[in-house]
Amino acid sequence: AAAGGDALRALLRAANTLLQQHRYRAALAVLKGFRNGAVYGAKIRAPHALVMTFLFKSGSLREKLKSIAQATYTHSRNLAYFVFTYKGLMALQSQLQGKKIPFHSFFAACIGGWLVFGENNPINSQIIMYLLSRILFGLSRLAVEKGYVPQPKQDPFPLVAALIWGTVLWLFEYHRQTLQPSLQSSMTYLYDDSNVWHDLSDFLIYNKRTESK
């Protein structure tokens, strides 16, 4: 037992020594990026999938748990693969050109996005839409910072909020099929299901009656 403990401590010392080697830093950063992508993807997706599944999906408990596990695994895997691909390509480009330039980031992320997130499925769609909204805000701020767009005299956020909500509710009411399924489910619960009730039980306590009376 003592020999086994000594061997383990020696292995840990060797691993820690390796991690301090500057020449391996780029490769090790790629590996840690893979690890962080997997962990972060699981942290983000698991609670979201849990809530959405139990709120809006039917089926047995086993089926719901399987759906949650599958969504969590897919998100975690894809994010890990993307970070690994992105950081690997960034390191490769920097080594080939001897320095890091802005185009490297765009090119590496484009390749990673094509390879990892190119499949049109619910998980990837949610991630892309999440990023798209933040890109639009970021580009708007960048345009002001660079002077391409004059600095607004008043905070434009109230106008943006009004236009966003006006547009999404118009789409929901008249072109519902264009919206993402989870958004349709949320809005159906909020705006359609609230128009239907039979008695106090499904007016205040439940959204829908489980059995007819």
Side-chain angles (χ1 to χ4, degrees):
D6 290 340
L8 179 59
R9 283 190 289 271
L11 182 60
L12 289 175
R13 283 196 298 270
N16 286 331
T17 300
L18 176 65
L19 292 174
Q20 301 304 318
Q21 297 293 318
H22 182 74
R23 57 181 171 175
Y24 300 129
R25 188 168 185 80
L28 293 171
V30 172
L31 292 177
K32 185 169 183 184
F34 180 89
R35 177 264 180 201
N36 283 9
V39 172
Y40 187 77
K43 284 183 176 180
I44 292 296
R45 178 55 55 175
H48 177 271
L50 179 68
V51 171
M52 297 302 291
T53 297
F54 279 95
L55 274 181
F56 298 116
K57 287 191 177 182
S58 58
S60 67
L61 177 61
R62 182 176 181 179
E63 290 172 338
K64 289 180 178 180
L65 292 176
K66 183 179 179 181
S67 175
I68 294 167
Q70 182 61 44
T72 301
Y73 168 75
T74 301
H75 194 146
S76 176
R77 179 200 63 195
N78 285 4
L79 197 55
Y81 285 172
F82 178 82
V83 176
F84 182 86
T85 303
Y86 173 77
K87 291 181 72 69
L89 289 174
M90 286 291 289
L92 179 62
Q93 292 177 104
S94 181
Q95 184 177 26
L96 290 176
Q97 290 198 260
K99 61 179 180 179
K100 180 180 177 181
I101 61 176
F103 178 74
H104 289 171
S105 179
F106 178 78
F107 178 75
C110 281
I111 298 299
W114 178 276
L115 293 176
V116 179
F117 293 105
E119 180 183 350
N120 188 358
N121 59 48
I123 301 297
N124 289 348
S125 295
Q126 289 172 3
I127 294 172
I128 296 304
M129 284 186 284
Y130 174 91
L131 293 174
L132 177 60
S133 62
R134 283 144 180 82
I135 286 171
L136 294 176
F137 270 79
L139 290 176
S140 298
R141 294 186 181 110
L142 182 62
V144 173
E145 288 179 8
K146 296 293 185 180
Y148 303 136
V149 175
Q151 178 72 41
K153 295 181 179 179
Q154 295 181 333
D155 185 1
F157 190 82
L159 177 60
V160 173
L163 292 175
I164 292 295
W165 278 104
T167 302
V168 75
L169 265 298
W170 172 74
L171 287 172
F172 175 72
E173 294 287 357
Y174 300 104
H175 304 280
R176 188 171 304 190
Q177 75 283 356
T178 64
L179 297 176
Q180 199 229 4
S182 65
L183 181 57
Q184 290 185 42
S185 297
S186 300
M187 290 196 156
T188 297
Y189 182 89
L190 292 170
Y191 305 111
D192 284 355
D193 292 355
S194 56
N195 291 331
V196 180
W197 63 87
H198 301 86
D199 54 34
L200 194 60
S201 66
D202 60 352
F203 185 81
L204 286 180
I205 303 174
Y206 305 106
N207 176 44
K208 293 181 179 179
R209 294 200 304 189
T210 56
E211 53 185 53
S212 58
K213 295 183 179 181

